[in-house]
Amino acid sequence: MEEWINEKALVLSSEFKHYKSLDSFLVKLSSLAYDVEDYAFGDQLKAKTIFEEILKHRLLSEYISILSCHRDEIEARIARDPRIRKLRDYSDVLFKVLSSTPCRESRTIDTSTREATFRIEQEEERVVARKPIEKIAGLKTHRIFLWIGVALVVLAIIYALIILLR
């Protein structure tokens, strides 16, 4: 079990160093909760113990100290964000670890909440629907006609030269 915990902590620390938003951290911790439950074969008490051991791992101490600066925001997001619903089962463990870790914000993280994907997609569809066809294609129709006209003039000149040179 110790080896599995070390492996999970190593993977998390390598991923956490790239994260810039609170959302990213929380989504990853939520997926960790699923992994821990699978490893514990549904034993909730064992899963919570393993989850806590992973969060207290020395490789994650820097990231947990960053998260401890945002406890209130994390609590609010766990309560309302359906993407991290699984963390509700582990919120007591998470807040226990965050409370026991001093806040050291060695880097700033974005705490803004991302809009739901379906809302973002709906807005993109509305914007695309409002654009004229020429903008969607990336070319303006008058330029296309201009180049077709230039090509026809060049072909006419070539044809006239061929007829004159015979």
Side-chain angles (χ1 to χ4, degrees):
M1 179 167 84
E2 188 68 31
E3 185 178 322
W4 189 84
I5 290 172
N6 287 334
E7 181 182 320
K8 282 295 174 186
L10 181 63
V11 169
L12 283 174
S13 69
S14 68
E15 292 176 356
F16 281 173
K17 69 181 169 186
H18 302 291
Y19 291 174
K20 295 181 174 134
S21 72
L22 192 57
D23 271 348
S24 302
F25 283 101
L26 295 177
V27 168
K28 189 61 183 179
L29 288 175
S30 181
S31 69
L32 173 65
Y34 284 108
D35 290 346
V36 167
E37 279 188 1
D38 286 346
Y39 184 77
F41 297 110
D43 182 357
Q44 191 70 18
L45 186 60
K46 183 178 178 183
K48 284 186 174 190
T49 305
I50 294 171
F51 191 77
E52 183 176 357
E53 286 182 35
I54 293 171
L55 292 180
K56 288 183 174 181
H57 198 280
R58 61 180 171 71
L59 291 173
L60 300 179
S61 62
E62 175 189 348
Y63 308 108
I64 297 300
S65 68
I66 292 171
L67 292 176
S68 70
C69 299
H70 303 282
R71 279 180 280 211
D72 295 336
E73 179 68 25
I74 290 170
E75 187 174 3
R77 288 202 189 181
I78 289 174
R80 72 174 187 265
D81 194 338
R83 294 176 302 143
I84 55 174
R85 182 174 290 138
K86 190 51 151 174
L87 276 180
R88 292 176 190 163
D89 298 340
Y90 295 88
S91 62
D92 56 335
V93 175
L94 179 61
F95 293 124
K96 176 182 167 187
V97 172
L98 291 178
S99 296
S100 66
T101 307
C103 168
R104 284 189 308 260
E105 196 157 355
S106 57
R107 64 179 185 178
T108 57
I109 58 174
D110 181 19
T111 57
S112 61
T113 305
R114 182 182 179 275
E115 194 68 38
T117 303
F118 73 92
R119 289 194 182 120
I120 293 171
E121 289 172 349
Q122 286 175 347
E123 183 60 33
E124 288 173 356
E125 288 172 2
R126 277 191 230 121
V127 168
V128 169
R130 283 186 238 144
K131 287 185 178 180
I133 293 173
E134 63 192 30
K135 300 263 183 182
I136 293 173
L139 298 171
K140 296 187 177 183
T141 47
H142 69 276
R143 284 190 181 170
I144 293 173
F145 289 126
L146 174 73
W147 285 108
I148 290 173
V150 169
L152 288 174
V153 169
V154 169
L155 287 174
I157 292 172
I158 292 172
Y159 181 72
L161 288 174
I162 289 174
I163 291 183
L164 289 174
L165 293 176
R166 284 190 180 176

